[in-house]
Structures are given as C-alpha cells and as structure tokens.
Amino acid sequence: MPNSPSLLVAGQHAPDFTLRSTADQSVSLSELRGRPVVLVFYPADWSPVCSDQVSLYNELLSEFHTYGAQFLGISVDGVWCHAAFAGDRKLHFPLLADFEPKGAVARRYGVYEESDGVCQRALFVINADGVVRWRYVSPIGVNPGAEGILDALDKLSREPGQSL
Amino acid sequence: MSELKLPVGPGDHVQGPRDAAITLVEYGDFECPFCGEAYPELKIVQRAMGNRLCFVFRNFPLSNMHPHAERAAEFAEGAATIGHFWEMHDLLYENQEALEQRNLTRYATELGLSHELIQSAIRGDFAERICRDFTGGVRSGVNGTPCLFINGRRFDGPATAAALLEVLRSFGED
C-alpha cells in the first residue's frame, strides 16, 4: 500500500487530474485554469449526509457562478452511479468518478479514507492559477455547508490578479 | 461553530416576545419532510417555553429537490403582508402533501388573501425576500433543513422537543 500524501495545504499547487464525468466525457483540472474551482470530495452518492450536502450546493450554483467558479464533486462512485444520483437529485454540476484506480485523486489530495475505501468529506477552493487557497476537511458525518466556500471565494475575488 | 450572520430584525416573522431571553430561529423549507416532522415538535417547544421564547422562521427552499417549496414560500410571504404569515406557515406544514398551486390558492383564499395578492405570489413577487433569507442562511452555515439557531448559535442536535427543551432550559438558567 503506497503511503498517502499528507493533506494539501493552502499555497500548494492542486495536483492535476483527469476524471470521467460521464461515460464518454472527462474533466481535467488543468483545463479549468483561469477561473476558480471548488472541488468537493464526498464519501458516497446516495448517503444521507452527502445527498443533503450536494443538494445544498446545487441550490447555490448561481452564487458560485457569480465568482466565475467551476464547481466539481468527486467520489469513488462510478459514472453510472453518478448519472443516476445526479438525475434523481437534479444536480446541475459535474460529479467526477475517482473510480479506477480507486481513490487515486483523493489520495493525491490527502483525503482518502483507507479504512472505509471512500473519499473524506473535504472541500478545496483553488484559484485561477491552480493554487489551493483554502481547504477544509469535515468530520465524515457532518455536512459542512457552504459558508466556508463562499468566504474563501470572497477572499479570492479580492486577491490581485484573481479579479473576474 | 456556525453563527447566525443576520440578526433577528423587524423584517422577520416572529412568534413570542422579541426581547425574550431565548431566540430560536428555524431555517425551513415548506416541502421538506424533515421540517414537516419538526413542525409539531417545535409547537411543543413553543408551548412549553411560553413567553421565554421568541421563535423565528426564515425561508430556505431547496427548489431543485422540492419543486413546490419556493411557491409555498411565496404564498407564506404573501400572507405575511396581511398579517397571516403564521396561519399560512401552519397550513403549509399541516398539508405538506398538498402544495400544488390550486391547493396554495385555496389556503390563501381561506386566509383572506386578495386575488391580486395571490397572483403576486404566483408571479414570484416575494422572491427577493426569500432569496435574502436563503443567502443569509447559507452565510450562517445552514447545511440542510430544518436548521435551528439558538441565540445565534447553530444547534446540531435532533429537532425534537425533548432535545430542544433540554438545551433551551439550560440556557434559561444562565
């Protein structure tokens, strides 16, 4: 078992990745340079806390968009599971499948929960240059809400060179 | 941890004295089943606490998940303009399975809302107010519904009368 890297901290470059968002589409973090990215790792589609959490973010997409931010969810579920979950909850943002090799991206961000084989409940706000500006890991059973993300985006929008 | 960013003000819907020792704020969604379950529990809490409690309701409709929630909130705000917010609030929670426009119109008519006011709610004229509640809630750390704040601090325990009364009574002893 390779050692998982430690949790990324603010100021570090966010490791690039390419993950499937649907059976025939992929998203690369590097393609999103030039705008902030909100990256939300969560344990599982369909679980009660995750469902509340993603439903809340779904209601806030227009708010995130006012910062020009792209919002991405990531779990170890596969694309078809994501498709069913997104359809059922009417989600309007991509869910990425950290499915094969399982949890590889979560490991690189230091947010893989080895004992349960799932992503931790972790939030990252990445600036337009691909640098982590804020991150938060919530206890796995607690929905972290959105206040931290919005505060981080507020701060980001005041950084030189990050204006929209 | 999470604190109420928008203090309770004159624009809020309140039950009980505004200067009560304890203020309980609920962020709620009229179609949310968990809010529906909390509704009778909160009534018990209000009755038990009497004048020591000021209860406040703010809108937090999760519209993608609950397609009738926003419209229901519009009708509640419409009712508020003629002083019947709480009557509408109660009707909505007591009839959560019947929140279609025709149902809402019937409740509104029963409460004496004019045709114009009903049209206004249907058009979404109260959207700005509802959005203000929602955004203030998000900024305060509302992470789902119902979300309760006791004297400004988010309460993360279960929304049951027993759990709430235990905490509220301990507040009263301070």
Side-chain angles (χ1 to χ4, degrees):
Chain A
M1 181 74 65
N3 284 335
S4 288
S6 52
L7 178 64
L8 287 185
V9 296
Q12 281 185 285
H13 263 279
D16 192 26
F17 57 78
T18 301
L19 289 175
R20 290 208 178 279
S21 56
T22 68
D24 53 8
Q25 285 180 306
S26 296
V27 172
S28 296
L29 184 63
S30 54
E31 288 166 4
L32 301 169
R33 285 283 166 84
R35 58 197 295 203
V37 174
V38 179
L39 206 54
V40 172
F41 291 88
Y42 63 97
D45 291 346
W46 306 105
S47 88
V49 175
C50 299
S51 300
D52 284 354
Q53 188 185 358
V54 297
S55 296
L56 174 66
Y57 298 154
N58 199 37
E59 302 293 335
L60 290 173
L61 286 181
S62 61
E63 187 84 9
F64 295 135
H65 290 160
T66 62
Y67 296 93
Q70 172 66 49
F71 192 92
L72 302 171
I74 301 186
S75 76
V76 296
D77 298 286
V79 288
W80 298 110
C81 185
H82 276 338
F85 182 55
D88 186 72
R89 303 300 152 101
K90 301 184 180 65
L91 302 180
H92 302 296
F93 58 86
L95 298 179
L96 307 184
D98 196 7
F99 181 69
E100 181 58 37
K102 190 183 175 200
V105 173
R107 284 175 208 272
R108 290 168 63 204
Y109 279 73
V111 294
Y112 191 66
E113 188 65 52
E114 298 281 351
S115 56
D116 297 320
V118 296
C119 300
Q120 294 176 345
R121 200 176 296 286
L123 314 175
F124 291 86
V125 171
I126 297 165
N127 75 7
D129 303 321
V131 176
V132 174
R133 300 306 305 162
W134 179 81
R135 59 109 174 92
Y136 177 75
V137 181
S138 185
I140 208 129
V142 178
N143 175 349
E147 58 177 326
I149 296 173
L150 291 171
D151 288 348
L153 288 170
D154 270 344
K155 284 201 188 102
L156 206 61
S157 65
R158 293 194 295 267
E159 280 182 19
Q162 299 289 328
S163 58
L164 304 171
Chain B
M1 191 188 112
S2 289
E3 305 220 341
L4 200 63
K5 298 286 184 337
L6 280 183
V8 175
D12 274 305
H13 307 302
V14 310
Q15 278 185 324
R18 285 178 181 271
D19 60 353
I22 302 169
T23 300
L24 175 64
V25 176
E26 176 187 10
Y27 279 90
D29 168 321
F30 289 114
E31 197 177 355
C32 162
F34 303 108
C35 297
E37 284 171 21
Y39 167 74
E41 301 289 320
L42 291 165
K43 289 281 184 212
I44 294 170
V45 169
Q46 286 185 272
R47 269 197 301 277
M49 296 298 292
N51 279 339
R52 287 172 293 161
L53 182 73
C54 174
F55 178 58
V56 181
F57 182 90
R58 289 176 173 174
N59 297 293
F60 203 82
L62 296 171
S63 316
N64 284 286
M65 199 166 23
H66 301 137
H68 307 93
E70 180 89 24
R71 178 67 52 78
E74 286 280 343
F75 271 76
E77 290 302 326
T81 65
I82 56 164
H84 289 317
F85 173 80
W86 289 104
E87 289 87 340
M88 184 62 93
H89 166 277
D90 291 2
L91 272 173
L92 294 171
Y93 277 128
E94 285 163 21
N95 297 278
Q96 268 196 311
E97 75 297 342
L99 299 177
E100 298 295 336
Q101 188 175 307
R102 65 174 190 285
N103 307 118
L104 298 175
T105 302
R106 194 178 78 241
Y107 311 144
T109 308
E110 281 169 22
L111 293 177
L113 274 73
S114 66
H115 176 73
E116 288 71 27
L117 199 44
I118 290 171
Q119 289 308 311
S120 183
I122 291 171
R123 273 199 309 272
D125 287 354
F126 303 99
E128 198 182 314
R129 155 68 195 253
I130 295 164
C131 184
R132 202 163 58 234
D133 277 1
F134 187 91
T135 309
V138 169
R139 291 287 179 168
S140 303
V142 172
N143 54 6
T145 51
C147 191
L148 303 172
F149 290 81
I150 299 171
N151 284 357
R153 298 287 296 272
R154 194 175 74 196
F155 172 71
D156 289 333
T160 61
L164 281 163
L165 284 171
E166 193 180 327
V167 176
L168 295 177
R169 284 178 171 144
S170 73
F171 260 80
E173 289 159 9
D174 288 347

